[in-house]
Amino acid sequence: MFKKSHLILIIILFILGGCEKKEVEESNRKLKIYNWEDYIGSSTLEEFEKRTGIKVEISYFEDEEKMFAEIRSNTYSYDLLVASDDLIREMIAAKVLQKLDTGKIPNIKNIDSLYMSLDFDPGNKYSVPYLWGTTGMVVNRKFINGRSWGILFNSEYSGKVAMLNNSFEVLSASLKLLGKSINPESIGDIDLAMEQLEKQRSINKGYFDAVSIKEMLLNEDLWASQIYSGEGMSVADENDELEFFIPDEGSPIWLDSFVIPKNGENIEEAYIFLDYILEGEINGKISSELWYATSNREALKYVDKEILESSYVYPSKEILKKCEYYEDVREMANYIHMKWSSLKNNDFN
Amino acid sequence: MTLTKKITLYTTILGVFPIILISLLYFFYFVPNIKGLINKKVDVITEVVADEVSRAVAESVNGVSILANSNVFIDSNSTKEDYLEEIKKSSDMYDILKDISLLNTKGEILASENYSFRELDSTWWFKEALKKRVVLSDVHAVLYPLEFVMTVSCPVLYNDEVTGILVGHINLEYIRNIIKQKEKITGFELWIIDSNGLVIESPFSDKILDRFPDDYIYKKSKEMSKVNTIISRNKEDYFCTLTPIKTIHGEVKLNWNIMSALNEDVMYKTLNEFKKIFFLRGLLSLTFFVFIVMFLRRSIKARILSLREATQKLGEGDYSVDVLDKGNDEVSDLIKVFNNTRLLLKDSEDRIKKANKRFKLAVKGAKDVIWDWDIIEDRFYISPKWWYIVGSPAVEDDYIDIYQFTSFIHADDRSYFENQLNSYLSDNEINFEVEYRIHISDGGIRWILTRGIVVRDKDGTNIRMAGSHTDITSRKIMQQKMAFSAFYDTLTELPNRNMLLDRLKQALSRASRNSNFSFSVLFLDFDGFKHINDTYGHDVGDQLLIDIGNRLKECIRPLDIVSRIGGDEFVILIDGVGDEKELVPILNRIIITSKNEFQIKNKSIFTSVSIGAVIEGTGESEPDELIQRSDIAMYHSKLTGKSRFTFFTEELRKDEITRWSLENELHKALGTSEIQIYYQPIINTETEEVSSFEALMRWIHPQKGVIPPIDFIPAAEDTGFITNITKWLINHILIQAKIWNEKLNDKIIVISFNVTAKDFFISGGLDRFIRKMLEKTGCNPGYLAMEVTESVMIKDFENVTKQLKSLRKMGIKIKLDDFGTGYSSLSYLNKFEIDYIKIDRSFIQTITEDRLSEKIVKAIILLAKDIELKIVAEGVEKIEEVKLLKSWGCEFIQGYFYSEPLTSQDADIFLNLD
């Protein structure tokens, strides 16, 4: 009898020991995300960690092109990336993305069908839509009037204007000012736009990421700059002199999505996160905080009224008419890149 | 148990047992062995493919790194156009490379063929190249136009500072073609899987750049380990062999695995067919066997019963019973014997006589010696055959005593024999069997197997013993030979690698048990052995190895071992010596004794030895590791001047650059002014004018001074770097030939150059390369001649002949170099694709003194004229030699008498061009 109870005790100890070990393993799970700075809700990750026990390591990039080069060359490995529509088109071609198993993301049903199956990823085989926005301008009304891209090319404001560090955004501002589409129809269009940008070099303070631009605008180091709508709206909210707008000539509109790179290591965790971020409440909170429009139908219920009614976060049809999506420019992209790298590598004032 | 039951039982055992045995043998020995052989073949082919792929990649790595050494990139006066021109020159030379670009250290493009690089500074390989390393990237996409490539990045150095990075893409299509070609030949599926587990190349194009579908292989390819396994696809089994490539060149890594897959049904087709036949036959023979057993039972039982009855009667004294039987088998025989027994009993004496006679006949006819020992009387009968074996006259009455017999036995075996015999006689064993040696009359030794059986009386006393002696000498010799060649090198009779590994294992386990025990491993490589072999022939080389082995044995204690593990490489294991101080005298002894003259076939031969030493005391290493470490140390001895020893240290291993130093330096030197081309004039004896030049290379090393080709070409040949040197050389002399011939309008100047066996394997073929370079430079092929030695032609006759034919068709002349030193088979001369014969300098130098040389050279010249080949005599230094050669009709002369090798500027003067 004594022996028997002994044995049971041992078995119980074993089971308990097993449980404990399992828990430890659970808490070792992690997820590596690569994103723009300030492009996720301030409590989003914390809540995710609390809920799932998965530790999130987040890194930030300032230049999409560099991020793509790092992924393409297998220099770093991440489990989740945020990328814009035109970049995802290239990533798919470069075979760096993993095909998604949408069965593991039940909340994908929350995405508005307007944003599904766009031409950069038909059938959403690789990407899950996140936020969308436009690329416009912020101007300090103390110093400058007007609503045109031309402000950035005006020598009166030399050294007080800046542009985003992104070849396509910079080119499209110049193209728009020339009255052309952001999707150049010929090499000739590119040459004209680039020539204009070469001339602007002496006026331009530099090419920066959106977060840096925000700071410089607040310090009045800059009076006007190209900027993404979310950062633009939020900076305008902080300082009444600053105004964000979509220039009269028109702007690009874009959609950012989540993708899983092929060299990711924590794929199951990535799926858990995707399903989490597609929950209406979580997603709605992010949109309110970041001043970017969500692609999530369920989330709209949770977005602040002020944001929802803002004509620049959720633009009116009238404004949207002026905007364009980036299309596939394939052969010309190489040419653009070549011109861009020589433009960028010249000294600024 | 009744007899019939016994028959059934025994026959069943006898019949079924062999069948079981054969089946076991079949399944446990035959099938695995055949499978092993087939698998091995797959293995080897996979390795060949891996080798070819890595060679192709290595060539492109070499291409970029040679270009990176170009002076154009560090010249501050160079413009973008200069860069681009230099780049274009290189990319024309290498099909496998494309879009070579020069970048500054920030990753900005300075010159590029088509700007397919973007944001390079964010990639790990660019960062590595900044640390002065040559690196290969993973396979990645370049966009617009979309392509998948691998990038070679190589630093451009100026004063040991990185001033730029040269990058180039490796054309995967090129590697794909290699794989496709091999697939066609072998019928295997071939895959390339990289160390990320991604498919780089596959027969299924939709799988490319996805993770490898099978988890096990996926995991193993990430580990880069060699694996043989079976995976299933579409319900069919495939035998897969994964072979990693890893290092391709110095420190450059190519993290690829080659995987071959072969449908098991196809692979083991013959074996499976054989299996079917085997089973069918087994079944048939089993059925047949059952029938036979049943028949036997029936036919024997009845007859045995009647025989038993009659025998009972005979026992009672009734001799009248005759058993009737019409059969003609053994039972019938038994019955007949029974019937005859009565008659035989009557005439027993007659019967004994007959039996005796029969015994003698048997003894005479037997192959073995028959013996019969009356133990009580100690009379030892031995049949006459014995005396034939020992080779001494027979004793008269065939009887000796036991001591006389044992005196034949070899002293070392005698007590063994006696012990065996005594223990047999005292224990109740059934058979006596012993093997031992005997002396025979001519002083030799033979091996004897003795079998015997003892007869005991009722009390158990041994009274008689009889048996046979068999001569098993030839079997023993065979056994010894087999054991010897598995563990000994047949040439030097020294232990071979197997034996060495075995001894190392023993020593290691001793060291791990006993912390006080340590031992040393010495790796020896004889300097210039290859040269000796080439100069004096293999007979001399082989004898030298034997003599070296003997000398080495004298340098060490008998319990240490000297082994030859291949070529001119020896490894010595010194037991119990684990202290450098103790080891140094032994090392010095070896070095000194190796330097002494060797006398072989009346020739004095000198060599020296480079040694690497490792001391092992922990017992935690693997035997192979010890050999490898000592090899590394040996290599260091070689590099630091030969004829010395080096103790292995971790730094030596870490310093991979040292290991590749010569090659790396050569690498760096090529394309700079360190390597220079000299031109030695060849004079037409009729016109006394220059008709051609032989291009010779010299390496002017900043520290070591002038290094002649003989010191760096063999090393470059070993590593395959030679092809880059040859390519470089050809490029230069084509340009030089063009320049000279454009300036001279009244005659043609030919430049000849030397090639090695490896050069014929330049990818696409040497002939194709030369054709391409001719087109590129616009040089007339008539300005070119190529010098090839006989051994190169014979080594790979078909391939070389094919290429020589196509070169001659282009108009390039071929010269047979060093004639007289190699095989010099005259019967081959008309089979070679050649235009000239160059008589080796060793003959020319003795024609004025040695009658034999004179005759040989004269004969060669006459013969060459006969078969319409032209003659060049090289190494001509004296006027007497010139006179003699002219008088025999030698058409061309090269040597110091006319001119030493000249720089191109001096050659201009020689040609009256300046």
Side-chain angles (χ1 to χ4, degrees):
Chain A
M1 196 58 204
F2 174 76
K3 270 188 182 169
K4 216 174 188 178
S5 63
H6 217 81
L7 192 70
I8 290 169
L9 194 74
I10 291 171
I11 291 171
I12 289 172
L13 280 174
F14 256 102
I15 293 170
L16 286 176
C19 284
E20 208 174 75
K21 204 178 170 198
K22 209 173 173 192
E23 259 175 34
V24 171
E25 272 173 13
E26 286 276 326
S27 67
N28 276 342
R29 298 177 75 179
K30 64 175 181 181
L31 174 68
K32 289 160 84 177
I33 302 179
Y34 206 20
N35 191 4
W36 297 95
E37 199 176 348
D38 290 350
Y39 202 45
I40 197 142
S42 52
S43 61
T44 316
L45 300 180
E46 208 177 303
E47 196 172 329
F48 177 72
E49 288 185 341
K50 213 185 291 167
R51 201 195 286 182
T52 60
I54 297 170
K55 178 108 183 55
V56 180
E57 291 172 13
I58 188 157
S59 311
Y60 305 111
F61 54 84
E62 293 175 354
D63 181 347
E64 248 187 354
E65 297 270 354
K66 281 208 186 327
M67 177 270 274
F68 182 29
E70 285 166 4
I71 299 301
R72 199 151 35 104
S73 61
N74 199 20
T75 298
Y76 299 114
S77 136
Y78 296 98
D79 308 318
L80 266 183
L81 306 172
V82 175
S84 63
D85 45 342
D86 52 320
L87 189 70
I88 289 173
R89 199 195 311 273
E90 292 188 341
M91 287 181 139
I92 293 170
K95 292 197 174 191
V96 297
L97 299 184
Q98 247 178 50
K99 269 199 183 142
L100 297 177
D101 180 356
T102 42
K104 291 181 176 166
I105 325 169
N107 281 333
I108 201 160
K109 66 178 193 310
N110 293 348
I111 308 263
D112 194 324
S113 60
L114 267 177
Y115 305 101
M116 293 292 278
S117 209
L118 296 178
D119 86 314
F120 68 89
D121 182 15
N124 283 71
K125 285 189 190 124
Y126 299 95
S127 63
V128 174
Y130 179 44
L131 299 170
W132 63 272
T134 54
T135 311
M137 273 177 71
V138 168
V139 164
N140 192 323
R141 289 304 180 202
K142 242 190 342 192
F143 308 105
I144 302 171
N145 290 319
R147 310 181 71 82
S148 161
W149 286 114
I151 294 168
L152 299 176
F153 295 81
N154 188 337
S155 57
E156 277 178 44
Y157 312 127
S158 179
K160 290 291 182 188
V161 295
M163 298 189 91
L164 286 163
N165 186 15
N166 179 301
S167 55
F168 285 92
E169 300 291 7
V170 168
L171 182 70
S172 55
S174 184
L175 282 166
K176 276 291 173 195
L177 185 59
L178 289 169
K180 298 191 181 286
S181 161
I182 65 168
N183 298 304
E185 277 156 20
S186 66
I187 296 284
D189 284 358
I190 300 171
D191 284 343
L192 277 176
M194 283 295 176
E195 228 168 87
Q196 189 167 263
L197 288 164
E198 286 278 340
K199 282 186 203 146
Q200 186 221 19
R201 241 174 39 205
S202 57
I203 304 166
N204 189 359
K205 192 172 178 68
Y207 300 112
F208 304 103
D209 62 296
V211 176
S212 310
I213 288 175
K214 238 169 105 173
E215 280 168 25
M216 287 191 272
L217 284 165
L218 290 170
N219 304 337
E220 293 187 2
D221 281 345
L222 288 178
W223 295 349
S225 177
Q226 187 182 33
I227 198 161
Y228 296 121
S229 53
E231 278 82 6
M233 294 294 293
S234 72
V235 76
D237 191 48
E238 283 177 53
N239 183 337
D240 288 345
E241 318 260 33
L242 298 175
E243 187 195 350
F244 173 80
F245 57 90
I246 287 172
D248 296 340
E249 293 91 351
S251 277
I253 182 170
W254 40 259
L255 172 67
D256 280 342
S257 306
F258 279 106
V259 290
I260 303 183
K262 219 175 243 171
N263 63 0
E265 280 157 5
N266 309 296
I267 306 305
E268 286 311 307
E269 289 75 4
Y271 280 119
I272 295 171
F273 184 84
L274 283 177
D275 200 44
Y276 162 80
I277 201 135
L278 290 184
E279 284 176 18
E281 192 175 348
I282 303 290
N283 203 292
K285 261 200 241 169
I286 296 173
S287 175
S288 302
E289 192 182 328
L290 300 184
W291 301 74
Y292 279 114
T294 176
S295 56
N296 192 314
R297 210 173 347 97
E298 281 300 302
L300 291 175
K301 296 176 193 161
Y302 302 93
V303 176
D304 291 351
K305 220 177 159 200
E306 180 203 353
I307 306 283
L308 211 52
E309 284 167 1
S310 156
S311 58
Y312 284 121
V313 180
Y314 289 92
S316 63
K317 270 192 188 152
E318 220 167 288
I319 291 175
L320 277 180
K321 250 192 231 163
K322 290 198 285 183
C323 297
E324 281 181 278
Y325 269 111
Y326 285 111
E327 282 163 20
D328 191 356
V329 288
R330 289 199 185 267
E331 292 76 17
M332 280 191 276
N334 220 18
Y335 187 73
I336 293 171
H337 181 78
M338 191 179 97
K339 288 278 184 180
W340 166 246
S341 57
S342 74
L343 182 69
K344 221 171 97 170
N345 292 326
N346 283 306
D347 296 331
F348 291 98
N349 282 340
Chain B
M1 203 189 285
T2 64
L3 186 59
T4 41
K5 273 185 188 163
K6 272 187 194 165
I7 288 175
T8 315
L9 185 69
Y10 291 159
T11 43
T12 306
I13 291 172
L14 277 176
V16 173
F17 188 66
I19 291 177
I20 293 174
L21 195 75
I22 291 172
S23 308
L24 287 177
L25 211 66
Y26 175 76
F27 279 107
F28 291 103
Y29 182 76
F30 183 66
V31 172
N33 253 322
I34 296 283
K35 279 196 171 180
L37 274 178
I38 298 173
N39 297 355
K40 181 88 193 157
K41 190 179 142 201
V42 177
D43 243 35
V44 168
I45 290 171
T46 314
E47 264 166 35
V48 168
V49 176
D51 185 54
E52 197 149 323
V53 168
S54 69
R55 255 200 285 159
V57 177
E59 196 177 318
S60 59
V61 172
N62 284 337
V64 176
S65 43
I66 290 168
L67 180 60
N69 282 321
S70 166
N71 289 327
V72 174
F73 299 135
I74 51 172
D75 185 347
S76 54
N77 293 325
S78 297
T79 62
K80 214 173 219 182
E81 283 66 38
D82 295 334
Y83 296 154
L84 210 57
E85 196 189 331
E86 189 73 5
I87 285 170
K88 284 219 170 97
K89 250 197 259 164
S90 229
S91 62
D92 283 349
M93 254 161 56
Y94 295 91
D95 286 347
I96 188 169
L97 281 172
K98 57 181 185 185
D99 197 12
I100 304 174
S101 303
L102 179 71
L103 302 134
N104 66 13
T105 52
K106 284 190 238 155
E108 295 154 9
I109 297 172
L110 300 179
S112 173
E113 286 185 293
N114 69 1
Y115 289 88
S116 56
F117 296 91
R118 280 164 67 172
E119 305 297 340
L120 258 173
D121 55 327
S122 304
T123 65
W124 65 266
W125 63 79
F126 186 84
K127 291 171 190 167
E128 281 295 301
L130 284 178
K131 295 180 197 159
K132 299 186 202 165
R133 289 196 189 117
V134 181
V135 266
L136 256 183
S137 75
D138 300 306
V139 169
H140 63 98
V142 293
L143 303 150
Y144 317 111
L146 180 76
E147 263 179 314
F148 292 91
V149 298
M150 203 162 36
T151 306
V152 184
S153 315
C154 186
V156 176
L157 297 173
Y158 181 64
N159 285 341
D160 212 30
E161 288 285 320
V162 181
T163 56
I165 305 289
L166 196 69
V167 287
H169 292 322
I170 291 178
N171 193 343
L172 286 186
E173 208 48 50
Y174 191 92
I175 289 167
R176 202 156 282 161
N177 282 339
I178 296 179
I179 297 280
K180 287 275 173 292
Q181 215 179 15
K182 297 287 163 196
E183 261 174 349
K184 218 186 266 170
I185 299 168
T186 58
F188 296 178
E189 274 178 25
L190 290 168
W191 298 60
I192 301 177
I193 308 166
D194 74 2
S195 63
N196 301 312
L198 292 183
V199 176
I200 305 300
E201 169 58 11
S202 155
F204 307 97
S205 55
D206 58 325
K207 297 270 189 294
I208 290 174
L209 286 163
D210 273 336
R211 287 184 179 205
F212 189 79
D214 180 81
D215 280 342
Y216 180 69
I217 298 262
Y218 172 71
K219 215 180 102 212
K220 289 293 164 190
S221 50
K222 285 182 115 171
E223 290 168 10
M224 304 272 308
S225 44
K226 188 165 172 71
V227 172
N228 289 324
T229 185
I230 288 165
I231 61 176
S232 288
R233 190 173 69 211
N234 302 333
K235 289 177 187 161
E236 285 185 352
D237 283 346
Y238 286 77
F239 177 78
C240 297
T241 297
L242 189 74
T243 299
I245 296 183
K246 287 184 188 162
T247 303
I248 46 160
H249 172 94
E251 56 185 354
V252 182
K253 305 263 189 297
L254 172 63
N255 289 326
W256 280 4
N257 303 278
I258 302 290
M259 191 194 82
S260 62
L262 187 58
N263 191 320
E264 282 229 298
D265 288 347
V266 179
M267 191 165 162
Y268 302 131
K269 197 175 162 212
T270 326
L271 192 65
N272 288 339
E273 275 169 10
F274 184 78
K275 254 188 207 167
K276 268 184 218 156
I277 295 169
F278 184 83
F279 273 115
L280 217 64
R281 282 189 61 160
L283 214 65
L284 267 174
S285 46
L286 212 66
T287 332
F288 187 62
F289 183 74
V290 169
F291 277 115
I292 288 184
V293 171
M294 279 162 65
F295 173 75
L296 272 178
R297 270 181 69 138
R298 242 175 235 188
S299 75
I300 292 174
K301 194 172 176 180
R303 291 187 292 161
I304 296 280
L305 280 177
S306 59
L307 190 62
R308 187 171 72 186
E309 207 172 294
T311 317
Q312 261 168 2
K313 282 187 179 160
L314 190 69
E316 289 155 8
D318 184 355
Y319 290 84
S320 65
V321 186
D322 222 10
V323 184
L324 292 171
D325 186 72
K326 285 174 192 166
N328 54 354
D329 56 15
E330 286 83 349
V331 179
S332 307
D333 287 347
L334 187 63
I335 292 168
K336 274 174 207 153
V337 171
F338 172 81
N339 286 337
N340 288 335
T341 308
R342 281 171 307 158
L343 304 167
L344 288 169
L345 280 171
K346 283 178 189 167
D347 206 345
S348 62
E349 209 176 22
D350 257 17
R351 203 179 130 261
I352 288 162
K353 268 185 191 165
K354 273 182 192 166
N356 232 336
K357 203 171 176 187
R358 212 175 289 142
F359 171 72
K360 278 202 172 140
L361 263 172
V363 166
K364 209 172 175 185
K367 254 175 81 184
D368 296 343
V369 177
I370 306 294
W371 55 274
D372 187 345
W373 179 28
D374 184 336
I375 298 173
I376 311 293
E377 300 276 316
D378 192 15
R379 274 160 64 83
F380 196 91
Y381 165 79
I382 192 153
S383 66
K385 187 114 190 174
W386 174 259
W387 306 107
Y388 173 74
I389 292 174
V390 298
S392 45
V395 291
E396 251 174 44
D397 59 352
D398 293 346
Y399 281 93
I400 51 178
D401 62 38
I402 188 74
Y403 296 105
Q404 272 171 293
F405 174 72
T406 52
S407 67
F408 282 111
I409 298 176
H410 191 286
D412 291 348
D413 292 352
R414 201 173 295 148
S415 61
Y416 164 70
F417 178 86
E418 285 165 359
N419 286 342
Q420 291 293 96
L421 183 60
N422 289 336
S423 71
Y424 170 69
L425 288 175
S426 51
D427 303 338
N428 282 322
E429 280 172 47
I430 299 167
N431 284 312
F432 173 67
E433 209 173 291
V434 58
E435 288 179 9
Y436 55 93
R437 288 165 293 173
I438 58 166
H439 290 293
I440 59 173
S441 63
D442 66 0
I445 275 169
R446 297 200 78 82
W447 276 90
I448 298 293
L449 164 67
T450 293
R451 292 196 183 89
I453 189 158
V454 72
V455 180
R456 299 185 173 92
D457 65 10
K458 280 175 195 163
D459 308 321
T461 316
N462 301 318
I463 50 171
R464 187 174 168 195
M465 191 171 169
S468 63
H469 299 306
T470 313
D471 183 345
I472 55 164
T473 311
S474 52
R475 194 188 86 202
K476 276 282 171 186
I477 290 173
M478 276 296 285
Q479 278 175 358
Q480 279 168 356
K481 266 194 189 157
M482 278 162 71
F484 189 81
S485 63
F487 287 101
Y488 288 86
D489 169 35
T490 43
L491 174 67
T492 57
E493 301 192 348
L494 293 172
N496 64 9
R497 193 185 182 92
N498 285 341
M499 172 85 127
L500 174 72
L501 290 176
D502 191 53
R503 287 295 168 85
L504 284 174
K505 231 183 259 168
Q506 287 174 20
L508 282 166
S509 75
R510 203 132 61 95
S512 69
R513 284 196 308 267
N514 177 358
S515 60
N516 294 326
F517 175 79
S518 48
F519 62 96
S520 311
V521 178
L522 314 182
F523 195 108
L524 286 72
D525 187 288
F526 284 82
D527 307 320
F529 179 77
K530 191 177 174 297
H531 181 64
I532 293 171
N533 238 351
D534 291 348
T535 321
Y536 299 102
H538 286 276
D539 286 356
V540 173
D542 284 352
Q543 187 57 46
L544 177 63
L545 290 172
I546 294 169
D547 292 357
I548 285 172
N550 290 335
R551 281 198 196 172
L552 290 177
K553 275 194 261 180
E554 285 164 18
C555 295
I556 55 166
R557 299 165 303 176
L559 60 136
D560 300 329
I561 77 164
V562 179
S563 65
R564 173 168 174 249
I565 62 166
D568 57 337
E569 293 172 340
F570 294 80
V571 173
I572 299 181
L573 166 66
I574 299 189
D575 249 355
V577 175
D579 182 20
E580 290 192 10
K581 265 187 226 151
E582 268 180 87
L583 206 54
V584 166
I586 303 175
L587 291 166
N588 280 329
R589 211 150 57 221
I590 295 173
I591 286 173
I592 291 164
T593 182
S594 302
K595 268 199 252 184
N596 290 339
E597 176 186 14
F598 287 87
Q599 269 289 340
I600 295 167
K601 301 205 169 156
N602 293 328
K603 290 187 185 80
S604 301
I605 290 173
F606 291 93
T607 181
S608 61
V609 66
S610 301
I611 310 179
V614 173
I615 293 175
E616 170 69 27
T618 61
E620 278 162 10
S621 314
E622 290 293 318
D624 276 325
E625 255 177 80
L626 290 175
I627 298 177
Q628 199 197 353
R629 277 185 224 153
S630 56
D631 187 11
I632 289 171
M634 181 284 293
Y635 199 82
H636 188 256
S637 299
K638 270 239 140 120
L639 284 180
T640 48
K642 304 178 178 175
S643 192
R644 63 191 60 213
F645 58 83
T646 308
F647 283 101
F648 174 79
T649 60
E650 274 306 314
E651 282 76 60
L652 277 186
R653 192 217 302 277
K654 276 178 205 153
D655 203 357
E656 259 190 322
I657 293 162
T658 314
R659 181 115 175 70
W660 293 90
S661 154
L662 178 65
E663 201 198 332
N664 277 341
E665 282 187 28
L666 197 54
H667 227 109
K668 283 183 200 149
L670 195 58
T672 70
S673 55
E674 278 184 36
I675 295 201
Q676 294 189 352
I677 307 175
Y678 282 73
Y679 300 90
Q680 186 169 38
I682 299 172
I683 307 294
N684 182 332
T685 51
E686 220 169 277
T687 60
E688 286 282 336
E689 281 185 341
V690 195
S691 74
S692 57
F693 289 100
E694 181 180 357
L696 300 160
M697 272 182 293
R698 275 184 199 168
W699 180 4
I700 301 164
H701 192 280
Q703 281 93 41
K704 292 174 191 153
V706 176
I707 304 177
I710 187 84
D711 284 349
F712 67 89
I713 297 291
E717 249 187 296
D718 281 351
T719 57
F721 188 69
I722 185 73
T723 56
N724 293 307
I725 299 177
T726 305
K727 281 179 175 180
W728 176 86
L729 177 75
I730 291 172
N731 190 15
H732 275 73
I733 61 167
L734 284 179
I735 294 167
Q736 186 64 65
K738 198 181 165 199
I739 293 172
W740 277 336
N741 283 293
E742 272 169 5
K743 286 187 192 165
L744 294 163
N745 29 28
D746 53 337
K747 62 171 183 175
I748 288 173
I749 287 290
V750 174
I751 302 183
S752 64
F753 62 98
N754 295 280
V755 291
T756 67
K758 282 261 166 78
D759 294 321
F760 286 94
F761 290 98
I762 288 177
S763 58
L766 180 62
D767 51 341
R768 227 191 85 201
F769 175 77
I770 293 177
R771 187 195 298 273
K772 228 172 80 184
M773 295 312 291
L774 285 167
E775 278 166 15
K776 213 192 111 197
T777 54
C779 177
N780 185 333
Y783 303 159
L784 212 57
M786 191 164 96
E787 303 198 357
V788 189
T789 63
E790 227 169 337
S791 60
V792 169
M793 291 200 201
I794 289 172
K795 209 178 247 168
D796 186 14
F797 189 75
E798 253 171 64
N799 175 28
V800 172
T801 306
K802 212 177 94 196
Q803 297 196 30
L804 291 181
K805 206 179 246 173
S806 100
L807 288 166
R808 284 183 76 194
K809 228 177 186 176
M810 285 180 223
I812 294 166
K813 297 276 181 269
I814 310 296
K815 297 183 178 178
L816 181 61
D817 205 4
D818 297 346
F819 187 75
T821 59
Y823 306 83
S824 303
S825 165
L826 297 177
S827 59
Y828 259 111
L829 276 181
N830 56 351
K831 287 184 190 153
F832 288 148
E833 289 286 337
I834 53 172
D835 306 284
Y836 290 79
I837 293 176
K838 283 188 93 170
I839 307 175
D840 191 66
R841 61 182 66 245
S842 58
F843 287 99
I844 304 298
Q845 280 159 357
T846 49
I847 49 171
T848 52
E849 296 145 21
D850 180 2
R851 294 279 299 161
L852 188 62
S853 293
E854 186 189 322
K855 274 187 184 163
I856 289 172
V857 173
K858 219 164 146 183
I860 293 174
I861 294 175
L862 279 175
L863 177 80
K865 290 205 173 233
D866 237 25
I867 54 177
E868 291 176 337
L869 293 174
K870 295 200 173 93
I871 285 281
V872 183
E874 56 179 338
V876 178
E877 292 175 5
K878 298 178 202 147
I879 181 82
E880 297 84 37
E881 291 164 0
V882 177
K883 276 183 189 160
L884 268 180
L885 287 164
K886 273 190 185 172
S887 72
W888 297 333
C890 177
E891 294 132 309
F892 300 98
I893 290 180
Q894 175 183 359
Y896 276 61
F897 176 74
Y898 285 105
S899 169
E900 59 185 349
L902 306 167
T903 62
S904 62
Q905 291 88 346
D906 290 342
D908 276 349
I909 298 168
F910 207 87
L911 285 168
N912 298 323
L913 279 176
D914 263 2

